Amino acid sequence: MKKLLKTVIITVIILGALTAGGIFLLTKSDDEVGEFGTRRHLQQSDQEDEHAFRYDTEQLATPLVREGEGKNVLNFDDYNVFSVGHSKACRDRLDRLIRRSSPDFENPIIAYNPFGTMENSYYFYFKTQSKYMVKYTVTVADEKVPDRIRYVNNGQVKNVSTEHEFVVGGLIPGMTNYIILELLDENGGHRDEIIYKADVPEASLPHKVSYERGKSDFRLQNGMFFMLPKDDKRIYTYDNNGYIRGIINTESGHGRRVFTTDSNLVYQTAGTHVAKINRIGQIEGMALFTGITEILDFSYDGYDNVYALVKDKKQYKIVCTSTAGGRTKDVFIFPKGIKVTSIVSVTGSKLYASTSSPMGIMRIDGLMSADPRVGLVFGITSDWVTTPYKKKIVDPTVPKKKKKSEDDKDKKKNDKDESEDSEDAEDAEETETASGEAVLVAPEEKKDPPLVGWDMKDSVLSLVADESAGKTDVLTFCVEKGRLIHAVKLQIDGKKKEAKLLLDKETEFDGQVFMQWYDHGYSIIANGTRGTYEERDADFRVTRTFDFGREYDGLWKYSLEGMCFFG
């Protein structure tokens, strides 16, 4: 019996030791993955001091040659690229090449901008025998230019695969760029690498935007600034250090908006055209509006529907078509006299429109129904009394009526307070310090309620979807108020018919100013008239101010994690 008990005790000890060891290994593995994730995030912030260019990089690099002797890059027809048919034909050609060859890491399929949508970009395709992830680094000989590091998002578990298809972007115009491709295991361990080099022609804009640091120590968030310059049909992307990292082509114009989803980029390519491209630059859909002269503003709902704000004779209206094709249909016609400045749609078949005359924000419900209708109007009642929507007004300048029982309670409470505090000063109250000394405390400064003094003639709405939680909608925009530009963050509860002002800050002296707010609490303030833009922290302090040096129509920042990169 004692021998049996001894055996059991020894077995329990061994099993306990094995379990503890297993827990240690699992914890250690999790720590390593966590460290790798942190390192990966920092590397993709474009703010690290790493410089991959070495003394032997030039000698080790394989030139990317598009013409003549030593050609190793495929070229594609760039005529009439903005059509689904053209992109499909290019995709079919790539698929044929993949089927007929056996591309591996040392001998990949490489194509220059195969779909014609992104200048200075290279498409890669290859297979590996084991599962790896791909990291690429774009570096130049100039140590002052930070490296661009990206981890390709292949959509697989732990981001490893045996099949690799991606586009390398971020090459700087006017310089010799070196592309370092690395194969990594699931924990970020280095397995293999190869280096290419490409000479990139100068761009029509300077390759560097100047910047100044602000008073905030907040680290700039990962992402690219999408710049839409005035009188330039291309869209340019800039990194956190102000370097051009991409040039996006259009047919004849870019409008003022860019939208992203988990796997698509949506933007205007002409006055009446909107393109939807995937993570490698292929056009998956085109919204071709007919019967209109020009898109004044547009919004994308993430389900192929594109809504455009247009003006027909003397009236504004919203029209809709699909990136999958189809006719253009009228969704909502605004009554004469209402001037609309911008629109933004929300998942759930509703859309907000900012108006300058009468001044306010309208919510239109049932976009996909046969009879879209105005759900509410956020405005001053007297401004909207002559419109058909006076019963839909949510006016924050008018106190909300309380129920009778609540009024009675408040009246009794006020009577009691008045009798107890009859000797208090009218505009200040008396209190005591810890030493018993009486001091006067000034009443809290009263701020004007929303809408008071606002001029929304240049307002452009932006939606903060991550803070709505499906119950309320949070909008950001800028208004002119007291001859200054104010950044506004507004929460609207359509069910309760309430609006709450979350932010109202002076930000600029003049110009058309765009505001974009993010779920991390930071924001972008972009002055298109002055050609400047800045990133601010959660306390609205400036982290960094950039000077583009010329006027632009719009600026938006996106991480692009789902497009091609892993972040």
Side-chain angles (χ1 to χ4, degrees):
M1 184 69 180
K2 291 183 179 180
K3 187 176 181 181
L4 178 60
L5 182 60
K6 184 179 179 181
T7 303
V8 171
I9 292 173
I10 293 173
T11 303
V12 169
I13 292 173
I14 293 173
L15 288 174
L18 289 173
T19 302
I23 292 172
F24 171 79
L25 290 174
L26 287 172
T27 305
K28 183 175 185 295
S29 177
D30 287 342
D31 288 341
E32 290 176 350
V33 171
E35 291 173 4
F36 172 49
T38 300
R39 183 172 78 251
R40 184 176 59 211
H41 182 79
L42 292 176
Q43 287 177 334
Q44 294 186 128
S45 72
D46 298 321
Q47 299 172 81
E48 294 296 282
D49 295 328
E50 296 180 17
H51 199 63
F53 185 89
R54 305 186 302 267
Y55 70 93
D56 59 348
T57 299
E58 169 71 27
Q59 290 72 32
L60 296 174
T62 299
L64 292 173
V65 183
R66 296 173 55 190
E67 300 289 346
E69 185 177 355
K71 177 182 175 181
N72 58 0
V73 176
L74 299 171
N75 294 308
F76 282 68
D77 178 18
D78 60 0
Y79 175 74
N80 192 28
V81 300
F82 289 97
S83 70
V84 175
H86 179 276
S87 264
K88 186 178 182 304
C90 296
R91 176 75 259 185
D92 291 343
R93 181 185 173 190
L94 289 172
D95 289 339
R96 287 194 299 271
L97 290 169
I98 291 170
R99 288 194 301 268
R100 294 173 181 175
S101 59
S102 300
D104 55 24
F105 184 61
E106 288 74 23
N107 298 283
I109 292 174
I110 308 175
Y112 176 79
N113 186 18
F115 304 102
T117 55
M118 297 184 286
E119 292 185 18
N120 306 328
S121 65
Y122 286 87
Y123 165 95
F124 284 82
Y125 181 93
F126 56 85
K127 292 183 177 181
T128 52
Q129 291 184 347
S130 300
K131 290 184 176 182
Y132 296 115
M133 71 177 73
V134 176
K135 169 189 172 184
Y136 74 76
T137 302
V138 176
T139 187
V140 297
D142 187 350
E143 292 187 359
K144 295 180 182 179
V145 181
D147 290 348
R148 176 181 172 88
I149 300 173
R150 292 294 184 267
Y151 291 78
V152 176
N153 182 359
N154 58 39
Q156 302 301 310
V157 176
K158 294 187 178 181
N159 200 42
V160 293
S161 177
T162 59
E163 185 177 23
H164 309 275
E165 182 182 51
F166 56 94
V167 170
V168 172
L171 279 66
I172 296 181
M175 306 185 80
T176 298
N177 289 256
Y178 297 86
I179 303 169
I180 304 173
L181 297 185
E182 293 182 69
L183 294 181
L184 309 177
D185 61 28
E186 63 183 42
N187 294 317
H190 179 86
R191 290 293 179 263
D192 203 352
E193 76 173 43
I194 191 168
I195 305 174
Y196 296 95
K197 71 174 182 177
D199 293 322
V200 181
E202 291 278 1
S204 58
L205 298 178
H207 70 267
K208 177 75 164 57
V209 171
S210 62
Y211 69 83
E212 294 181 358
R213 297 184 185 276
K215 295 182 179 180
S216 172
D217 294 329
F218 183 73
R219 185 183 182 87
L220 268 67
Q221 297 301 289
N222 290 11
M224 301 297 296
F225 294 96
F226 284 75
M227 172 65 69
L228 291 75
K230 198 173 187 66
D231 301 322
D232 189 326
K233 70 177 184 178
R234 296 178 180 88
I235 300 172
Y236 299 82
T237 61
Y238 287 84
D239 65 18
N240 280 325
N241 289 295
Y243 287 96
I244 286 182
R245 292 295 185 174
I247 302 175
I248 301 172
N249 288 323
T250 71
E251 299 171 85
S252 59
H254 48 53
R256 65 181 183 184
R257 294 268 195 186
V258 175
F259 290 96
T260 64
T261 66
D262 288 340
S263 57
N264 292 107
L265 191 65
V266 181
Y267 57 92
Q268 270 186 254
T269 62
T272 59
H273 298 171
V274 176
K276 172 186 173 184
I277 71 169
N278 66 14
R279 65 186 184 86
I280 58 173
Q282 178 184 353
I283 294 178
E284 292 187 338
M286 289 290 296
L288 306 175
F289 288 91
T290 58
I292 67 170
T293 56
E294 181 186 11
I295 296 173
L296 303 178
D297 196 12
F298 84 94
S299 188
Y300 179 65
D301 71 351
Y303 297 97
D304 292 331
N305 298 307
V306 179
Y307 298 93
L309 173 66
V310 301
K311 191 174 183 181
D312 184 8
K313 297 181 181 179
K314 294 183 179 181
Q315 286 179 278
Y316 289 86
K317 65 179 181 179
I318 297 171
V319 296
C320 176
T321 191
S322 172
T323 57
R327 67 183 183 88
T328 302
K329 62 179 182 179
D330 290 349
V331 174
F332 186 84
I333 300 176
F334 295 90
K336 289 183 179 179
I338 294 181
K339 185 176 181 181
V340 187
T341 64
S342 73
I343 60 173
V344 64
S345 59
V346 183
T347 302
S349 191
K350 60 183 176 180
L351 176 147
Y352 287 93
S354 60
T355 62
S356 61
S357 177
M359 186 267 297
I361 296 174
M362 303 175 66
R363 195 192 74 198
I364 301 168
D365 298 336
L367 293 178
M368 303 304 295
S369 68
D371 185 27
R373 60 203 175 278
V374 173
L376 62 81
V377 175
F378 179 69
I380 297 175
T381 304
S382 58
D383 294 341
W384 290 82
V385 70
T386 59
T387 71
Y389 313 120
K390 55 186 178 182
K391 293 184 179 180
K392 302 289 185 180
I393 302 296
V394 175
D395 186 346
T397 66
V398 177
K400 192 173 181 181
K401 292 182 180 180
K402 298 181 180 180
K403 295 179 182 179
K404 188 174 181 180
S405 59
E406 292 177 347
D407 290 339
D408 292 339
K409 290 179 182 178
D410 289 344
K411 187 175 184 304
K412 290 179 180 179
K413 185 178 184 301
N414 291 336
D415 291 341
K416 182 179 179 182
D417 292 341
E418 287 176 6
S419 63
E420 291 178 352
D421 302 327
S422 58
E423 296 181 359
D424 287 352
E426 183 177 352
D427 295 323
E429 63 178 3
E430 188 174 290
T431 185
E432 290 186 356
T433 63
S435 61
E437 179 185 0
V439 295
L440 288 179
V441 179
E444 184 179 354
E445 181 183 356
K446 294 183 179 179
K447 294 184 178 180
D448 290 333
L451 295 174
V452 173
W454 287 10
D455 185 340
M456 297 182 69
K457 64 177 182 288
D458 290 323
S459 295
V460 178
L461 296 180
S462 178
L463 178 72
V464 186
D466 288 342
E467 296 192 17
S468 66
K471 298 178 181 179
T472 60
D473 297 314
V474 180
L475 303 174
T476 58
F477 49 94
C478 290
V479 301
E480 186 175 325
K481 181 180 176 183
R483 298 183 179 180
L484 293 173
I485 308 299
H486 283 234
V488 174
K489 186 179 179 187
L490 186 70
Q491 183 183 68
I492 296 179
D493 189 325
K495 187 175 181 180
K496 293 182 179 180
K497 305 293 184 183
E498 293 178 345
K500 182 179 180 182
L501 191 62
L502 303 179
L503 177 80
D504 183 356
K505 293 279 190 179
E506 295 177 1
T507 180
E508 294 285 319
F509 293 106
D510 55 20
Q512 183 169 27
V513 184
F514 306 86
M515 181 187 183
Q516 197 176 11
W517 194 276
Y518 300 85
D519 58 346
H520 294 293
Y522 74 102
S523 58
I524 304 297
I525 303 295
N527 192 325
T529 305
R530 292 191 169 196
T532 59
Y533 57 99
E534 60 193 23
E535 191 160 318
R536 296 192 174 212
D537 64 17
D539 296 321
F540 216 62
R541 295 173 303 177
V542 176
T543 300
R544 192 172 293 187
T545 299
F546 298 86
D547 189 354
F548 183 58
R550 58 182 287 184
E551 194 171 352
Y552 57 82
D553 295 319
L555 179 133
W556 311 92
K557 188 175 187 180
Y558 296 110
S559 69
L560 300 185
E561 290 177 1
M563 286 291 293
C564 187
F565 316 126
F566 189 83

